[in-house]
């Protein structure tokens, strides 16, 4: 029986995904539209409303609510973005209230990694693990927490920001302005920077796969490593060990059942997972590390799915 649909909207800097899901996370429909951040939030709200109405009309169902996932510093209590690097014109605009006013149904606004945490908890883990850390690995490294089976926000909605864990004092520059944060090693820009550094003066398959170094991306570094390239393998080991240090800190603090890696960079699979496991195995305090399973999410678009599922809560 179809007990209503939830609509998840994952707002990227370039494209926005709109997804209709059932309560168990089954995706009924998905569409993509341009975000057009320069046109401003009013235009965005109007086009999202249209897309939601179209989804509903095509499915012949009214949604129970809409979840809006956005990368950046999100105030979920007020339903707005305090700061989002890709959506500068959206800062402080009352997104939730504007969208709820257009659509006349509940709207929830959360950080995209928080939405991915909810999606991972419901879809990947079937709510069986109660304490879950999701590490969302894209351009940056985000994170979201489910504690005791509920989303954990912290006091300002900033909980779970594992990407800004310091792993190297004075190290590589992070997008936040600080140095040595794990994102600067394991986010896609960090991986590309490592690859450029390790490539200097060395022969590598990467030079053939990507003759223009400005076009390097993690997918190519993974391909080269998969084919045995030493430089590319070194990149993943370095990125994975730094990520392992950050995850080890989080495990000491939170004692999770599961750490789920999601997002484009996690597609590297064992290349990133093996060095993470290596660091966790090296920790002398065994109990929390034997309990914490670290694995890679099988489901793509957990942010959009989680946003749609949150509408049911
Ligand atoms: Zn940072």
């Amino acid at each position: 029986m179809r007990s209503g649909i939830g609509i998840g909207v994952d707002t990227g800097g370039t494209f926005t995904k709109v997804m209709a899901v059932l309560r168990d996370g089954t995706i009924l429909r998905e569409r993509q539209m341009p975000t057009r951040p320069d046109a401003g939030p009013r235009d965005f709200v109007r086009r999202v409303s249209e897309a939601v109405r179209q989804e509903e009309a095509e499915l012949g169902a009214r949604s129970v609510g809409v979840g809006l996932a956005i990368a950046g510093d999100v105030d979920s209590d007020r339903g707005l973005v305090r700061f989002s690097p890709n959506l500068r014109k959206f800062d402080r605009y009352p997104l939730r209230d504007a969208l709820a006013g257009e659509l006349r149904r509940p709207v929830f606004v959360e950080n995209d990694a928080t939405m991915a945490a909810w999606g991972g908890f419901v879809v990947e883990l079937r709510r069986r693990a109660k304490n879950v850390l999701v590490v969302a690995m894209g351009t940056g490294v985000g994170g979201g927490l489910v504690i005791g089976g509920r989303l954990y926000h912290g006091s300002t909605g900033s909980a779970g920001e594992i990407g800004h864990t310091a792993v190297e004092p004075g190290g590589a520059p992070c997008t936040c302005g600080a140095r040595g944060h794990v994102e600067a090693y394991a986010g896609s820009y960090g991986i590309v920077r490592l690859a450029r550094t390790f490539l200097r003066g060395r022969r590598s398959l990467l030079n053939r796969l990507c003759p223009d170094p400005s076009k390097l991306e993690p997918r190519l570094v993974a391909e080269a490593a998969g084919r045995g390239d030493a430089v590319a393998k070194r990149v993943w080991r370095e990125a994975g060990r730094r990520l392992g240090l950050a995850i080890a800190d989080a495990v000491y603090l939170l004692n999770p059942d599961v750490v789920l890696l999601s997002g484009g960079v996690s597609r590297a699979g064992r290349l990133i997972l093996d060095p993470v496991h290596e660091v966790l195995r090296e920790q002398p305090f065994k109990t929390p590390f034997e309990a914490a399973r670290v694995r890679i999410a099988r489901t793509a678009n957990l942010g959009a799915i989680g946003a749609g599922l949150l509408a049911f809560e």
Side-chain angles (χ1 to χ4, degrees):
M1 192 189 75
R2 184 171 292 184
S3 59
I5 56 168
I7 305 273
V9 180
D10 192 1
T11 314
T14 312
F15 291 106
T16 293
K17 287 198 187 78
V18 180
M19 211 172 260
V21 299
L22 294 178
R23 186 182 283 275
D24 65 356
T26 306
I27 299 166
L28 295 176
R29 292 181 62 83
E30 63 177 286
R31 69 170 72 202
Q32 190 164 285
M33 58 181 227
T35 302
R36 295 193 198 132
D38 291 336
R42 279 171 211 274
D43 172 79
F44 177 75
V45 165
R46 185 181 53 74
R47 289 184 300 112
V48 168
S49 304
E50 269 170 31
V52 170
R53 285 197 200 97
Q54 270 176 27
E55 293 281 304
E56 292 180 337
E58 283 161 27
L59 288 164
R62 184 181 161 91
S63 65
V64 295
V66 177
L68 189 61
I70 300 186
D73 184 359
V74 173
D75 183 339
S76 53
D77 286 339
R78 293 194 178 84
L80 52 80
V81 179
R82 295 189 194 95
F83 172 75
S84 177
N86 296 322
L87 308 167
R88 301 301 272 268
K89 290 188 174 169
F90 288 42
D91 291 3
R92 306 267 164 198
Y93 181 82
L95 279 173
R96 178 192 61 202
D97 295 347
L99 199 53
E102 284 271 339
L103 289 168
R104 308 254 159 240
R105 70 210 63 189
V107 175
F108 310 88
V109 182
E110 294 275 0
N111 171 273
D112 59 346
T114 302
M115 290 296 201
W118 191 251
F121 172 65
V122 176
V123 176
E124 292 262 322
L125 303 168
R126 301 277 157 205
R127 301 181 191 248
R128 282 196 283 265
K130 290 298 172 210
N131 304 304
V132 181
L133 166 64
V134 170
V135 183
M137 306 183 66
T139 307
V141 175
L145 289 168
V146 173
I147 305 278
R150 307 192 57 166
L151 265 185
Y152 180 76
H153 288 96
S155 37
T156 61
S158 318
E161 285 286 1
I162 189 171
H164 305 289
T165 306
V167 292
E168 179 72 49
C174 179
T175 51
C176 72
R179 284 186 170 274
H181 288 175
V182 68
E183 176 182 300
Y185 298 89
S188 65
Y189 71 90
I191 287 164
V192 167
R193 186 190 54 81
L194 286 174
R196 290 199 188 116
T197 307
F198 294 164
L199 268 172
R200 268 180 218 133
R202 287 188 186 81
R203 289 164 62 93
S204 162
L205 178 58
L206 274 174
N207 294 319
R208 261 196 288 142
L209 289 175
C210 187
D212 178 356
S214 73
K215 296 208 162 63
L216 260 180
E217 50 179 299
R219 184 180 56 81
L220 295 169
V221 185
E223 187 184 336
R227 288 161 69 177
D229 183 72
V231 170
K233 287 203 290 194
R234 188 178 163 209
V235 171
W236 287 109
R237 189 175 147 76
E238 174 82 6
R241 284 199 60 96
R242 304 278 186 184
L243 180 63
L245 290 173
I247 290 175
D249 283 356
V251 168
Y252 282 121
L253 191 66
L254 299 165
N255 192 193
D257 310 300
V258 177
V259 178
L260 199 60
L261 309 185
S262 71
V265 171
S266 74
R267 299 289 124 222
R270 301 219 68 87
L271 291 167
I272 190 96
L273 199 54
D274 286 349
V276 167
H277 278 140
E278 189 181 273
V279 171
L280 301 188
R281 272 197 307 272
E282 288 165 9
Q283 302 305 311
F285 183 5
K286 296 295 176 203
T287 305
F289 293 95
E290 284 163 1
R293 281 182 296 133
V294 184
R295 63 178 185 81
I296 290 175
R298 287 180 289 261
T299 316
N301 299 318
L302 278 180
I305 296 170
L309 288 172
L310 202 64
F312 292 100
E313 297 302 311

